[in-house]
């Protein structure tokens, strides 16, 4: 029996598109602000960043582009299992930490919550399913979120599904097949948007399959951009592209969301990816882009622990607008700081350890 060895070169991380990394951080900040505002104001017309949730679709599109760039030319040599190990090492440490933090907040939230309603056995099951990314929408007061103690994990669930489909099928097919698949996914996404009235679904039991539609189009579109080399050379720069990205999140929330949101997801985000991949990065913004990219995933996976507590605080204390603004600004800054600590103390060391162990196998 022979054991397949993998060249260390196949496991190396490729050079990053640094402006795209920076835009990932901008999108993560938009998600944090959106969730704060969503809990403070249930009326989305009062939410200045009412379309911040579309940042997830931007993540999905960026993921398709990056996965294609990073693995198209080497997954055949490294093998499917090695690809899965790489993705697990990259993604899962923060899935676990997000579940742990979420469990602690669920049990010890000083502003409310009802963990006693679920009992020890069910609470343990909620935690285990969260760690292993098994949808378990049972927490009533959290709108039957797929992962009640770690809400952002719903998008990681679909990210894993996309990675599995990529490794088993998508990496083998050429552009001539990828293009019609993307068009079909676009049609399905438009149908979902029309039927639901918006593209907000995927995070709860009641809208589970909407998440499939959202990742299907955006991941395929990102992959298609990479394989078609639709990279637009430009001098817009990081700040200019950041403004363009933020504008999509600031769109007013109207009865026409079922039209405007698909337009943004189908055309605007892929355009921003193509522009970001071809934009010139000035030296002065390089460190900011690198930091923004590195902090984005820890920020995304840890912020919701505070969001649940903020919701309970708003429900029980009824803060005024000035207090809400102060909490959101202060909370966002502290969450970025906490995400940095998580990255330095936990995420990077754990991934480095797992990578070294893998090389020794």
């Amino acid at each position: 029996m022979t054991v397949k060895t993998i060249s260390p070169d196949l496991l190396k991380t490729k050079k990053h598109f640094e402006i795209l990394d920076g835009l990932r951080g901008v999108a993560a900040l938009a998600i944090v602000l959106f969730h704060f505002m969503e809990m403070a104001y249930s009326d989305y017309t009062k939410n200045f960043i009412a379309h911040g949730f579309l940042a997830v679709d931007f993540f999905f599109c960026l993921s398709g582009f990056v996965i294609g760039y990073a693995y198209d030319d080497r997954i055949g040599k490294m093998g499917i299992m090695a690809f899965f190990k790489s993705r697990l090492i990259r993604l899962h440490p923060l899935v676990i930490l997000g579940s742990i933090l979420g469990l602690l907040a669920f049990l010890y939230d000083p502003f409310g919550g009802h963990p006693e309603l679920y009992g020890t056995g069910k609470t343990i099951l909620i935690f285990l399913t969260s760690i292993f990314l098994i949808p378990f929408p049972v927490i009533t007061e959290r709108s039957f979120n797929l992962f009640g103690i770690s809400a952002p994990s719903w998008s990681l669930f679909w990210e894993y599904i996309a990675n599995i489909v990529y490794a088993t099928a998508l990496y083998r097919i050429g552009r001539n097949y990828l293009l019609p698949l993307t068009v079909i996914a676009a049609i399905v996404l438009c149908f979902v948007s029309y039927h639901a009235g918006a593209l907000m679904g995927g995070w709860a039991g009641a809208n589970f399959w909407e998440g499939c539609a959202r990742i299907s189009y955006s991941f395929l579109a990102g992959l298609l951009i990479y394989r078609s080399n639709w990279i637009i050379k430009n001098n817009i720069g990081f700040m200019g592209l950041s403004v363009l990205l933020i504008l999509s999140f600031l769109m007013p929330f109207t009865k026409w969301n079922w039209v405007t949101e698909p337009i943004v997801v189908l055309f605007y985000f892929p355009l921003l990816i193509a522009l970001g991949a071809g934009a010139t990065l000035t030296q002065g913004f390089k460190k900011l882009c690198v930091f923004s990219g590195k902090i984005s995933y820890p920020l995304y996976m840890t912020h919701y622990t505070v969001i649940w507590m903020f919701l309970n605080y708003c429900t029980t204390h009824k803060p005024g607008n000035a207090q809400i603004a102060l909490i959101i600004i202060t909370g966002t800054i502290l969450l970025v700081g906490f995400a940095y600590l998580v990255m330095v103390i936990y995420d990077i060391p754990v991934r480095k350890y797992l990578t070294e162990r893998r090389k020794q196998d």
Side-chain angles (χ1 to χ4, degrees):
M1 180 179 177
T2 59
V3 178
K4 182 179 179 180
T5 57
I6 301 173
S7 168
D9 290 337
L10 290 176
L11 299 178
K12 286 182 178 178
T13 301
K14 288 189 175 182
K15 184 180 182 296
H16 286 213
F17 288 90
E18 289 164 337
I19 286 183
L20 292 180
D21 285 344
L23 293 179
R24 184 189 289 113
V26 173
L29 273 175
I31 284 280
V32 173
L33 289 172
F34 167 76
H35 284 146
F36 268 124
M37 290 295 294
E38 181 185 37
M39 296 309 175
Y41 304 102
S42 57
D43 181 357
Y44 284 95
T45 60
K46 296 181 180 179
N47 188 339
F48 78 94
I49 193 166
H51 279 95
F53 62 87
L54 290 179
V56 173
D57 300 272
F58 181 77
F59 289 150
F60 287 157
C61 191
L62 184 56
S63 177
F65 180 88
V66 170
I67 290 294
Y69 167 70
Y71 292 104
D72 264 7
D73 61 352
R74 56 177 173 166
I75 188 172
K77 298 175 183 177
M78 69 190 299
I80 291 176
M81 290 309 299
F83 169 78
F84 287 152
K85 288 179 181 178
S86 294
R87 300 308 293 155
L88 280 169
I89 290 173
R90 176 66 186 94
L91 299 175
H92 220 72
L94 283 170
V95 171
I96 294 173
L97 181 63
S99 299
I100 293 171
L101 294 174
L103 177 65
L104 293 174
F106 180 62
L107 294 176
Y108 304 112
D109 186 341
F111 304 115
H114 301 282
E116 71 280 356
L117 298 178
Y118 298 90
T120 302
K122 200 168 195 177
T123 300
I124 291 173
L125 188 57
I126 290 170
F127 176 65
L128 291 177
T129 53
S130 184
I131 282 181
F132 292 106
L133 285 184
I134 302 170
F136 192 48
V138 296
I139 302 182
T140 307
E141 65 271 25
R142 295 185 176 185
S143 303
F144 296 101
N145 200 292
L146 293 182
F147 302 94
I149 60 172
S150 183
S153 289
W154 78 267
S155 64
L156 269 294
F157 169 82
W158 288 114
E159 178 77 21
Y160 272 127
I161 296 296
N163 281 208
I164 291 169
V165 175
Y166 170 81
T168 55
L170 289 179
Y171 93 90
R172 301 174 186 271
I173 69 174
R175 180 178 174 275
N176 291 338
Y177 292 97
L178 187 61
L179 180 58
L181 278 177
T182 308
V183 172
I184 292 170
I187 294 170
V188 172
L189 189 74
C190 289
F191 173 79
V192 166
S193 183
Y194 173 75
H195 183 265
L199 287 177
M200 294 183 71
W203 51 270
N207 54 48
F208 175 80
W209 290 107
E210 293 175 32
C212 182
R214 291 175 72 180
I215 187 132
S216 294
Y217 171 76
S218 291
F219 189 89
L220 288 170
L223 192 58
L224 183 63
I225 292 168
Y226 168 71
R227 290 188 181 170
S228 302
N229 197 32
W230 290 339
I231 295 176
I232 304 172
K233 298 294 183 181
N234 64 89
N235 294 313
I236 300 175
F238 171 63
M239 293 305 294
L241 286 168
S242 295
V243 171
L244 292 176
L245 179 59
I246 291 169
L247 287 175
S248 66
F249 306 141
L250 300 179
M251 281 194 311
F253 202 84
T254 71
K255 64 179 182 179
W256 296 102
N257 288 334
W258 67 275
V259 175
T260 56
E261 291 169 10
I263 290 173
V264 169
V265 174
L266 294 180
F267 305 109
Y268 192 64
F269 285 163
L271 175 62
L272 290 182
I273 299 294
L275 289 170
T280 301
L281 177 63
T282 57
Q283 195 64 30
F285 287 107
K286 183 173 182 178
K287 288 184 178 179
L288 177 60
C289 284
V290 171
F291 175 80
S292 181
K294 286 183 176 180
I295 206 73
S296 60
Y297 186 44
L299 178 61
Y300 180 70
M301 288 304 295
T302 60
H303 81 281
Y304 224 92
T305 299
V306 172
I307 298 299
W308 288 128
M309 289 190 283
F310 178 63
L311 171 62
N312 289 330
Y313 177 80
C314 289
T315 302
T316 56
H317 289 70
K318 311 293 184 184
N321 290 334
Q323 189 179 1
I324 287 173
L326 180 61
I327 292 172
I328 291 175
I329 293 170
T330 305
T332 301
I333 293 171
L334 291 176
L335 281 170
V336 170
F338 180 70
Y340 175 77
L341 292 177
V342 166
M343 178 184 73
V344 173
I345 296 173
Y346 171 78
D347 188 40
I348 291 176
V350 169
R351 287 193 286 117
K352 183 178 180 181
Y353 169 77
L354 293 174
T355 301
E356 291 300 321
R357 283 291 303 271
R358 181 183 180 189
K359 290 177 181 178
Q360 296 170 10
D361 291 342

